[in-house]
């Protein structure tokens, strides 16, 4: 769909070494032991005295956003279970990487993934399960206790039904397409907040200066500027910025960020203009940040919900993500819709 430059990816072995993981070798690499958090760890400071979170980080993980329902309120896997899940993820990648028969017939369209032209080269799925406070989590969502998204309110469901009946067709024009497809913002809430992993490019760079923390997402080169201040600027409510208006404060060595006033085109699972996302960044070691987020929108969700995942250090720099340069999908999709409409008109005229 998009033509873009991807940073060189670390090998499995170098990733494991960076995370400080113990390894069991069975033809593939997998996590078997994770050291417990160091209670004596001292967070480094910037030259001006703030906790130093600067660097490149990634949040790719085997852990799903929501918990398999059969696990109920079980929050963590055993070490052996985590090993099996990681090994299965790695085996899936190895199978995708097998050479293909050049004489094979094309696969049926219904058997292709949603983006059928993305082979293994373009994806960078999570193959490890970094621990959170020494636990192999069964889901990113930890509250509600069952690890599931809360339900939608009746008012929201009724509004969505009305929009489906009266709203424009998604193929009427570019405004009907998603912001990721239009190269305006990362898809899948990768840029955040909340910042969630996706099928590739789940990398971020954190840069700090006195009074500011900037989080640059690899995808679409999104940069979220967080002001370290107690109150929002007076114009924040009417600006409706991409990624919202974020203000932060230091709670000891933890960065707490509250974001409101999102651009209405940025839609996190249906959230409205009343959305508030509260994030906490806690550095567990030089190679790991524990990232916690709470989503609250009482007009859309029946309750707030909280998730937690690890940001692990990444040695390589971020490279430019080129999106518009090769975005042939958007004009192709709309051109195809116009052709289909013309064919329908001609068929109707013949009848």
């Amino acid at each position: 769909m998009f033509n873009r430059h991807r940073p060189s990816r670390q090998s499995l072995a170098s990733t494991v070494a960076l995370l400080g993981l113990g390894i069991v070798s069975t033809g593939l690499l997998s996590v078997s032991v994770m050291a417990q958090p160091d209670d004596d760890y001292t967070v480094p400071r910037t030259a001006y005295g703030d906790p130093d979170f600067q660097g490149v980080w990634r949040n790719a993980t085997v852990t799903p956003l929501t918990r398999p329902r059969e696990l109920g309120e079980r929050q963590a896997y055993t070490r052996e279970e985590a090993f099996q899940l990681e090994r299965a993820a790695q085996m899936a990648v190895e199978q995708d990487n097998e050479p293909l028969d050049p004489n094979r017939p094309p696969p049926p369209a219904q058997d292709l993934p949603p983006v059928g032209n993305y082979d293994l080269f373009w994806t960078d799925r999570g193959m490890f399960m970094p621990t959170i406070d020494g636990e192999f989590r069964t889901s990113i969502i930890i509250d509600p206790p069952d690890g599931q998204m809360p339900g939608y309110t009746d008012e929201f469901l009724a509004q969505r039904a009305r929009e489906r009946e009266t709203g424009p067709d998604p193929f009427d024009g570019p405004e009907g397409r998603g912001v990721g497809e239009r190269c305006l913002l990362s898809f899948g809430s990768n840029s955040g907040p909340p910042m969630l992993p996706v099928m590739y490019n789940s990398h971020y760079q954190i840069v700090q200066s006195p009074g500011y923390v900037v989080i640059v997402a690899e995808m679409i080169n999104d940069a979220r500027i967080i002001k370290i201040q107690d109150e929002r600027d007076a114009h924040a409510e009417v600006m409706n910025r991409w990624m919202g208006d974020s203000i932060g404060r230091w709670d000891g060595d933890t960065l707490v960020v509250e974001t409101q006033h999102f651009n209405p085109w940025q839609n996190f699972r249906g959230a409205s203009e009343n959305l508030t996302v509260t994030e906490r960044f806690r550095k567990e070691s030089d190679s790991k940040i524990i990232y916690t987020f709470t989503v609250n929108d009482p007009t859309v969700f029946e309750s707030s919900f909280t998730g937690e995942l690890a940001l692990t250090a990444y040695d390589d720099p971020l490279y430019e993500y080129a999106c518009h340069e090769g975005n042939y999908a958007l004009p192709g999709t709309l051109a195809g819709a116009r052709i289909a409409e013309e064919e329908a008109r001609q068929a109707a005229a013949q009848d």
Side-chain angles (χ1 to χ4, degrees):
M1 179 175 172
F2 303 133
N3 179 21
R4 65 206 187 281
H5 299 291
R6 302 174 72 250
S8 59
R9 298 298 187 225
Q10 295 166 304
S11 67
L12 290 179
S14 63
T15 300
V16 167
L18 181 63
L19 295 180
L21 306 174
I23 302 303
V24 173
S25 177
T26 58
L28 295 169
L29 295 177
S30 184
V31 175
S32 62
V33 179
M34 170 65 81
Q36 293 295 317
D38 182 2
D39 294 334
D40 297 326
Y41 175 69
T42 300
V43 178
R45 322 300 285 193
T46 64
Y48 44 89
D50 286 343
D52 192 346
F53 286 62
Q54 297 180 103
V56 178
W57 308 86
R58 71 188 307 236
N59 63 1
T61 178
V62 171
T63 308
L65 176 64
T66 57
R67 185 174 305 149
R69 290 190 178 275
E70 64 270 17
L71 296 179
E73 296 188 2
R74 184 182 172 194
Q75 183 169 279
Y77 288 113
T78 65
R79 183 181 65 188
E80 292 74 18
E81 289 170 329
F83 168 84
Q84 294 298 328
L85 289 169
E86 290 170 337
R87 186 170 184 272
Q90 295 159 19
M91 288 180 66
V93 169
E94 292 297 320
Q95 291 170 0
D96 286 347
N97 206 27
E98 289 293 322
L100 298 174
D101 178 6
N103 298 315
R104 73 193 187 285
Q110 64 269 21
D111 293 342
L112 292 173
V115 185
N117 61 326
Y118 275 27
D119 60 15
L120 185 63
F121 173 81
W122 293 109
T123 63
D124 185 28
R125 303 192 294 267
M127 291 185 289
F128 298 100
M129 188 180 291
T131 57
I132 308 291
D133 295 330
E135 293 184 334
F136 296 100
R137 294 287 175 80
T138 54
S139 61
I140 293 174
I141 292 180
I142 57 174
D143 185 51
D146 63 359
Q148 305 300 317
M149 289 277 297
Y152 289 112
T153 63
D154 292 339
E155 292 79 5
F156 170 77
L157 294 175
Q159 176 187 337
R160 273 297 171 89
R162 290 192 296 271
E163 290 173 352
R164 285 193 294 268
E165 292 177 357
T166 62
D169 186 274
F171 297 101
D172 282 350
E175 296 81 5
R177 310 306 300 168
V179 293
E181 185 176 342
R182 297 159 64 190
C183 297
L184 296 175
L185 196 70
S186 300
F187 66 86
S189 194
N190 174 254
S191 59
M195 303 186 306
L196 299 178
V198 288
M199 63 185 288
Y200 54 67
N201 296 337
S202 296
H203 295 75
Y204 306 86
Q205 183 171 7
I206 297 178
V207 181
Q208 295 174 237
S209 64
Y212 293 89
V213 176
V214 179
I215 301 177
V216 181
E218 178 181 16
M219 194 96 72
I220 318 291
N221 311 299
D222 293 327
R224 178 157 58 114
I225 301 174
I226 301 166
K227 294 183 178 181
I228 307 301
Q229 61 187 41
D230 294 332
E231 296 182 1
R232 300 183 189 280
D233 296 335
H235 60 268
E237 185 172 359
V238 297
M239 289 295 291
N240 289 330
R241 298 182 177 96
W242 292 118
M243 297 168 284
D245 180 70
S246 296
I247 59 173
R249 60 181 174 84
W250 292 104
D251 181 7
D253 290 338
T254 298
L255 174 63
V256 181
V257 181
E258 184 180 273
T259 304
Q260 296 178 343
H261 309 312
F262 290 82
N263 188 297
W265 282 355
Q266 181 178 356
N267 188 303
F268 177 69
R269 296 177 178 258
S272 72
E273 66 275 8
N274 299 310
L275 172 66
T276 298
V277 179
T278 304
E279 303 162 286
R280 298 180 68 88
F281 298 79
R282 171 172 57 90
K283 204 166 187 181
E284 183 179 276
S285 69
D286 286 343
S287 60
K288 186 190 292 186
I289 295 172
I290 305 302
Y291 170 65
T292 307
F293 63 86
T294 298
V295 175
N296 184 40
D297 187 345
T299 60
V300 172
F301 303 110
E302 292 181 330
S303 68
S304 63
F305 57 96
T306 297
E308 203 165 47
L309 64 158
L311 306 179
T312 53
Y314 188 76
D315 280 344
D316 290 343
L318 296 188
Y319 290 86
E320 179 188 5
Y321 181 98
C323 185
H324 277 300
E325 292 83 342
N327 189 10
Y328 305 114
L330 186 58
T333 296
L334 298 178
R338 304 292 80 78
I339 293 172
E341 290 168 353
E342 180 60 27
E343 292 176 344
R345 282 193 293 266
Q346 293 178 2
Q350 292 175 358
D351 291 343

